[in-house]
Amino acid sequence: AQVPWYLWIDALCIPADSRVRKMAITKMRQVYSEASMTIVLDNGLYSTPENLTGFSIMFRLMTCAWSRRLWTLQEAILSKSLYILFPAGLAEVSSLFRDVLDGTDEPIDDERLHGLSQLTGLSFDEVQRLDQSCRTRPSNSIETLMLREFRSLPSLTNVEFRMKQVSQMLCLRDSSRPEDELLAIAPLLGVDVSQLVHMSGEDRVKNFWLQLGTVPKDVVLLEYPKLSTPGFRCLPRAML
């Protein structure tokens, strides 16, 4: 007998009805982590010229709409096999950067270096030095880039992300529903989202931090809006 294929599309599988939406959100970790493959559908990436490789595709991936959305963070981290749809067809994310890892890709031109500088918050000289370092240490090139959320690209599906790394990933992301922030990142940190969906406001935030059980000092020291509840005032209320 033919084995049926099941397809999950967020826009269709997460309904607007509040009760059913909460149920769907609690299943998202299971959906992505157990899916045979996850396909990224992004208009900007789909229009990528076929002759681009390595750093050029990395730059497009880091700046596309998919990489700026809050909920796609789960797709990027939890999926076992992450593919991107390009005009020529599907390509697995890890295979896109073979040129970078092998140190065989062409150097980044000044225009793209300036773009990377703005994207990462590093100076132009720092980005340029990192690029040059990649030429001499190709086996460590991805980590050497230190580009906030793609610094660990070879292990993109690794779920053992620390809170500090997740907070950095959130810096460049946004959502039409900012209150969903903790619902989106909870599965990445081992926090039970089924508790959070039934809470709101500061109650949800407090429960998140209590479940997490640890707060990196770097996160506390950053200028995030803080909780107003006594005993929790040093903790971030939001990180988007």
Side-chain angles (χ1 to χ4, degrees):
Q2 189 175 10
V3 178
W5 280 69
Y6 296 95
L7 183 67
W8 171 284
I9 300 177
D10 285 358
L12 302 178
C13 298
I14 301 183
D17 177 79
S18 176
R19 184 183 64 85
V20 184
R21 183 175 185 271
K22 290 176 181 178
M23 293 175 59
I25 287 175
T26 62
K27 298 292 185 182
M28 288 181 67
R29 178 189 176 98
Q30 180 182 0
V31 168
Y32 290 125
S33 61
E34 296 184 9
S36 299
M37 63 187 300
T38 300
I39 301 175
V40 175
L41 305 177
D42 180 273
N43 287 334
L45 294 175
Y46 186 68
S47 61
T48 300
E50 293 185 22
N51 61 338
L52 294 184
T53 58
F55 284 111
S56 300
I57 295 180
M58 179 191 290
F59 183 79
R60 279 180 173 256
L61 180 57
M62 292 178 63
T63 56
C64 72
W66 178 82
S67 294
R68 307 277 68 81
R69 290 170 48 216
L70 170 66
W71 282 101
T72 58
L73 194 55
Q74 288 195 21
E75 300 174 22
I77 295 174
L78 296 177
S79 300
K80 291 184 292 188
S81 298
L82 185 66
Y83 288 78
I84 296 175
L85 181 62
F86 290 106
L90 293 174
E92 191 172 11
V93 168
S94 59
S95 69
L96 295 175
F97 304 97
R98 189 165 295 125
D99 288 342
V100 179
L101 292 170
D102 294 341
T104 58
D105 194 50
E106 294 297 319
I108 308 177
D109 59 36
D110 284 355
E111 181 180 356
R112 287 188 177 132
L113 285 175
H114 278 293
L116 288 172
S117 172
Q118 295 175 357
L119 184 67
T120 60
L122 301 173
S123 69
F124 175 83
D125 289 339
E126 287 174 317
V127 174
Q128 190 174 46
R129 285 196 299 272
L130 290 170
D131 178 42
Q132 293 169 350
S133 175
C134 289
R135 307 292 153 199
T136 59
R137 293 189 296 164
S139 63
N140 196 35
S141 57
I142 295 293
E143 292 182 3
T144 308
L145 277 172
M146 297 173 61
L147 299 177
R148 281 181 178 149
E149 59 193 282
F150 283 94
R151 65 178 60 185
S152 302
L153 215 100
S155 57
L156 194 62
T157 56
N158 183 354
V159 297
E160 299 302 324
F161 274 85
R162 296 178 181 178
M163 186 65 226
K164 178 181 176 181
Q165 292 171 301
V166 171
S167 68
Q168 290 174 326
M169 294 175 186
L170 291 174
C171 290
L172 300 176
R173 293 179 179 267
D174 201 0
S175 173
S176 59
R177 301 171 64 123
E179 65 274 16
D180 283 352
E181 175 189 347
L182 298 183
L183 301 181
I185 67 173
L188 310 179
L189 298 162
V191 173
D192 184 3
V193 71
S194 66
Q195 295 185 33
L196 301 181
V197 293
H198 299 294
M199 301 177 179
S200 61
E202 292 207 355
D203 287 338
R204 175 183 289 175
V205 183
K206 287 188 295 182
N207 184 276
F208 170 84
W209 288 113
L210 287 172
Q211 284 197 62
L212 192 62
T214 183
V215 186
K217 63 179 181 181
D218 292 353
V219 173
V220 173
L221 295 175
L222 291 175
E223 295 183 2
Y224 294 126
K226 299 294 195 293
L227 291 169
S228 60
T229 306
F232 293 84
R233 290 174 179 168
C234 67
L235 300 177
R237 186 176 72 247
M239 290 173 284
L240 282 177

